[in-house]
Amino acid sequence: MHFVWDCSSFEIMSLYRNAIWFLNGIQQYTRKGYEVASKEFDPRDLDVSVVGRSFMITGANSGIGKATAVAIAKKGGTVHMVCRNKDKAEEAKEDIVTKSGNTEVYIHTVDMSQSRKVWEFAEAFKKQYPSLNGLINNAGCMVHKRELNTEGLEKNFATNTMGVYILTQTLIPLLQKSRDPRVITVSSGGMLVQKLEVDDLQSAKGYFDAVMVYAQNKRQQVVLTEQWAKANPVIHFSVMHPGWVDTPAVSTSMPQFHRMMEDRLRTVEQGADTVVWLALSRVASRTRSGQFFQDRKPVPTHLPLAWTHSSAEEIQSFITQLENLSKDFQLQADADPAGPCRPQFV
């Protein structure tokens, strides 16, 4: 009987946590939530010019990534679009240049789910470009069936976590020698209902729920950001929740949610607002590094009464696993007789 009570208590707490999260979402994550929050924004925060500074944005061909690229290009920044589909990227680039009047927009064709390709791209980028002022980890996916990439990694984990880890870790030396370097990772409020699962990073155990897998990946991004901030004080790291945004990714990955919430979803520009603010504003650079933001304000990374906190040992285990996986791909590349593949720079 004691075991049954424990399970029931855990389930009740999980339901409570999920209910609190959804109610918070209705109030804060929707278009109305943005409109309320934006009344406190200071428009002078983004009265800046970033001519001569460069920014890399993954998943920049649509949604929040593209809206971010347009905003940064309008401020004079050089934009490096990292996209999987070259044709879609070319189309998006044309639109970004037209809207911003800025021709300093470049395409890099990279599949963020292929860890070795990500590492090769980042290594080549470091050699070709003298500086990088901002890295915006925006690309993500939600694959609904458990599938492995060619390297044997679960695809959601490979894209949302491993790709972010390898790209950021490899580019840290370049960021460190650049002026006012910043790294912003687009996470999700869904991570609030997930505890870091260090014994199952790739969701191999139990029922595969893509929404929860995605939320777990987003928790992993928050933990990574916190650890990067501690290890690299020269760089300003932040992670953020864009709210519930009407993007092509949401409509295809979560069609039922999209239909139910369509009239309440934020525009892509509203979703990108905090990303742009974190990347460009002087105010953002003066905030403590490693924090989780929502509508230009740092917010808690755990819900009240939530069982989502991790121990120092669990966090170290997580980081060690990522380090070991990353080393494996680098060793494979070094051992390949054909040598590393040169990424496409357009």
Side-chain angles (χ1 to χ4, degrees), residues 2-163:
H2 181 65
F3 177 74
V4 173
W5 169 248
D6 280 351
C7 288
S8 298
S9 297
F10 180 78
E11 289 168 1
I12 289 169
M13 288 301 294
S14 295
L15 288 170
Y16 167 79
R17 184 179 63 203
N18 292 350
I20 291 293
W21 173 81
F22 187 76
L23 290 173
N24 281 344
I26 291 293
Q27 291 182 332
Q28 299 177 20
Y29 303 165
T30 56
R31 186 179 303 180
K32 184 177 180 181
Y34 175 83
E35 290 168 352
V36 170
S38 64
K39 292 177 181 178
E40 298 183 18
F41 293 174
D42 187 341
R44 294 172 297 180
D45 286 357
L46 290 176
D47 186 15
V48 297
S49 170
V50 288
V51 173
R53 294 168 61 186
S54 61
F55 301 82
M56 180 184 292
I57 308 168
T58 65
N61 64 291
S62 67
I64 293 169
K66 183 181 175 185
T68 300
V70 170
I72 290 176
K74 283 182 176 180
K75 296 294 183 181
T78 297
V79 174
H80 293 279
M81 304 171 61
V82 177
C83 306
R84 181 178 57 180
N85 186 302
K86 185 179 178 182
D87 292 337
K88 290 182 179 179
E90 290 283 7
E91 185 178 339
K93 174 185 173 179
E94 185 177 340
D95 193 36
I96 293 165
V97 170
T98 299
K99 288 179 176 177
S100 67
N102 184 348
T103 58
E104 293 295 305
V105 181
Y106 303 94
I107 295 171
H108 308 275
T109 308
V110 186
D111 185 343
M112 291 298 294
S113 74
Q114 299 297 323
S115 300
R116 175 176 164 181
K117 299 292 186 184
V118 173
W119 176 70
E120 290 173 349
F121 159 69
E123 285 290 333
F125 189 92
K126 281 195 302 187
K127 295 173 183 175
Q128 181 163 352
Y129 295 93
S131 65
L132 180 65
N133 304 95
L135 168 60
I136 299 167
N137 292 308
N138 166 74
C141 72
M142 185 188 295
V143 180
H144 282 268
K145 293 183 179 179
R146 190 174 191 278
E147 299 177 12
L148 304 183
N149 67 7
T150 56
E151 298 159 325
L153 296 181
E154 191 276 317
K155 284 189 176 180
N156 293 293
F157 171 79
T159 305
N160 301 329
T161 302
M162 204 65 215

